Amino acid sequence: MEAFYVRVIACDHTFYAGLCKQVIIPLEDGSYAIQAHHENAAFAVEIGELYIQLESGEWALGVVGKGFAQVSHNRATIIVDTLETPEQVDRRRAMEAKERAEEQLRQKKSIQEYYHSNASLARAMSRLSITNKKTRH
């Protein structure tokens, strides 16, 4: 598999900038893989798990918040509001956040509060999921 350049930026740091074989990003309707020579495109990134397959074949993992991705001329740029590695996730806090969000969803509040609680639940579930996975980064 051919390599291409990717840069992943969160609001407070650059997670990765370099060559990779593929990047898998979370979209509203599921995960989406980007590989070398992908057609030019732009995507809305959703809360979920980001995977970067490095040239060595190893994977760099992260939990991302909302943002966007652009693919142009065999380069991908991904900008998200938050990004945490598995080592940065506090599993106990993520479990507590999951339980709080589930309780808020059961209380049937306004539509705005519903979407806020749903986003909180998605972040917590992604954090818990990624803590069980290996990472190189």
Side-chain angles (χ1 to χ4, degrees), residues 3 8 42 58 60 62 87-88 94 97 100 105 109 115 119 121 124:
V8 181
E58 293 181 86
E87 296 82 18
Q88 293 171 319
R100 273 193 311 276
L105 285 171
K109 297 187 178 192
Y115 285 120
L121 180 59

Side-chain angles (χ1 to χ4, degrees), residues 1-124:
M1 190 180 303
E2 238 181 283
F4 67 102
Y5 184 82
V6 66
R7 185 168 52 172
V8 181
I9 304 167
C11 67
D12 59 346
H13 70 286
T14 298
F15 173 67
Y16 182 79
L19 294 175
C20 72
K21 291 182 178 180
Q22 71 176 322
V23 178
I24 301 172
I25 57 175
L27 304 181
E28 185 175 354
D29 56 351
S31 296
Y32 190 82
I34 300 168
Q35 297 178 343
H37 307 293
H38 191 286
E39 67 183 351
N40 294 348
F43 306 97
V45 176
E46 290 294 319
I47 298 167
E49 298 173 23
L50 170 91
Y51 301 89
I52 301 172
Q53 186 178 21
L54 307 175
E55 284 187 289
S56 66
E58 293 181 86
W59 291 88
L61 314 175
V63 175
V64 296
K66 291 188 178 233
F68 69 92
Q70 177 190 23
V71 181
S72 179
H73 301 20
N74 209 33
R75 297 171 75 88
T77 303
I78 302 164
I79 300 175
V80 293
D81 59 357
T82 60
L83 191 147
E84 296 174 285
T85 64
E87 296 82 18
Q88 293 171 319
V89 174
D90 181 335
R91 190 163 173 76
R92 182 187 55 78
R93 285 186 58 213
M95 185 62 79
E96 290 170 358
K98 174 185 174 277
E99 291 168 3
R100 273 193 311 276
E102 289 173 336
E103 179 57 34
Q104 289 169 349
L105 285 171
R106 281 192 288 271
Q107 292 178 7
K108 297 182 182 172
K109 297 187 178 192
S110 72
I111 194 73
Q112 181 180 5
E113 291 171 319
Y114 168 80
Y115 285 120
H116 179 74
S117 297
N118 205 28
S120 295
L121 180 59
R123 272 191 305 277

